[in-house]
Amino acid sequence: MELSIGLPDGLLMSAGDGTALTLYEADHTTVRRRIDCAVLEGARMADIVWSHKLSAVIAAVPERNRLFRWDAYTDSLQEWAGTGEAGRRDGKVAQAKFAATVSITEAGDGTLWLVDRDSSSLRRLEINTDRPDGDPRVTTVVGRHGAGYLDGPAADARLAHPEDLQILYDGSVVVADTGNHALRHVDLTDLEVTTVYGGPEREADELAGEDVVLDTPVRVTVADSQLWVEDRNGRHLVEPRYV
């Protein structure tokens, strides 16, 4: 799957198969610039996002356990967040640790949300525009106690090797909880985690009446106020009450 995102002024940034970055003009055909990605040393980008607060593209590279950054006035991708050592450590981005970040997206308030597959966690990266460098800091919202399956308060809830997340129109978060064969919802008002669909402990007779039975979901998207989930059995439209 090709990675691409829209940038200000109608420009397009494409990561192709995850090994290179190309900036296109507003016609999305004419190449304006090819970005030097030598810093990746052959590793692939799993996801890219435009940060409005940083005016930069942020790339998640799970193999390197880091986030990388491209600013519009530079010609190369640069290391930005993470020590490169696998782990889950919060705080300032230079000292933070990540464990295979596979999905990253921006909320309406400019907060960057990401999932770390190998630490089974949902994390938040906040940027303070009152500081010259943005003073970006990482906080773990869900998954502080390792992999597992548990709903309830975010501080106690558990995920299992999530692969994707999406910000919904009400500002809440849904996560493709791959290892638990589930779609999870995080209400940011009360920081409560609930299972929308699936779950590892569901019995066959419980699932029989459901329209959607998830098998290793890997992607979740929102389009036209509808929530879609992709798993081993294809792409499913799920109940939009959470959108």
Side-chain angles (χ1 to χ4, degrees), residues 148-151 158-160 177-184 195 197-204 206-207 214:
Y149 177 67
L150 183 66
D151 283 340
R158 296 192 181 197
L159 308 168
D177 191 2
T178 309
N180 284 321
H181 308 288
L183 183 66
R184 313 289 292 280
T195 298
Y197 283 93
E201 300 172 356
R202 302 293 300 278
E203 299 293 336
E206 291 182 285
L207 296 170
L214 297 178

Side-chain angles (χ1 to χ4, degrees), residues 205-217:
D205 57 348
E206 291 182 285
L207 296 170
E210 292 191 1
D211 293 331
V212 178
V213 177
L214 297 178
D215 181 3
T216 319

Side-chain angles (χ1 to χ4, degrees), residues 22-186:
T22 305
L23 179 65
Y24 290 91
E25 299 286 358
D27 61 9
H28 294 183
T29 301
T30 306
V31 174
R32 173 180 285 196
R33 190 183 309 176
R34 299 190 189 277
I35 312 306
D36 180 1
C37 295
V39 68
L40 298 181
E41 297 179 340
R44 292 179 181 269
M45 294 169 275
D47 204 4
I48 56 175
V49 68
W50 173 259
S51 168
H52 288 81
K53 284 192 172 182
L54 294 172
S55 295
V57 170
I58 304 300
V61 184
E63 186 179 333
R64 296 288 303 279
N65 298 306
R66 277 191 167 113
L67 303 179
F68 292 76
R69 170 175 175 165
W70 172 76
D71 296 275
Y73 54 84
T74 63
D75 291 319
S76 61
L77 195 65
Q78 305 289 335
E79 292 179 354
W80 181 60
T83 65
E85 180 181 356
R88 185 187 59 78
R89 184 166 67 194
D90 292 342
K92 293 185 176 183
V93 291
Q95 288 79 44
K97 290 184 180 181
F98 301 92
T101 303
V102 290
S103 180
I104 183 168
T105 191
E106 185 186 53
D109 64 358
T111 299
L112 297 177
W113 287 84
L114 55 97
V115 285
D116 274 4
R117 182 186 61 218
D118 291 355
S119 67
S120 296
S121 60
L122 171 68
R123 308 176 76 183
R124 176 170 60 200
L125 203 161
E126 296 180 278
I127 300 160
N128 182 359
T129 54
D130 291 333
R131 300 289 295 272
D133 62 351
D135 191 29
R137 294 173 181 265
V138 182
T139 303
T140 299
V141 179
V142 182
R144 300 177 187 177
H145 307 291
Y149 177 67
L150 183 66
D151 283 340
D156 302 318
R158 296 192 181 197
L159 308 168
H161 312 294
E163 291 277 357
D164 198 20
L165 82 155
Q166 185 66 247
I167 307 296
L168 303 184
Y169 294 123
D170 64 358
S172 61
V173 181
V174 288
V175 178
D177 191 2
T178 309
N180 284 321
H181 308 288
L183 183 66
R184 313 289 292 280
H185 178 261
V186 186

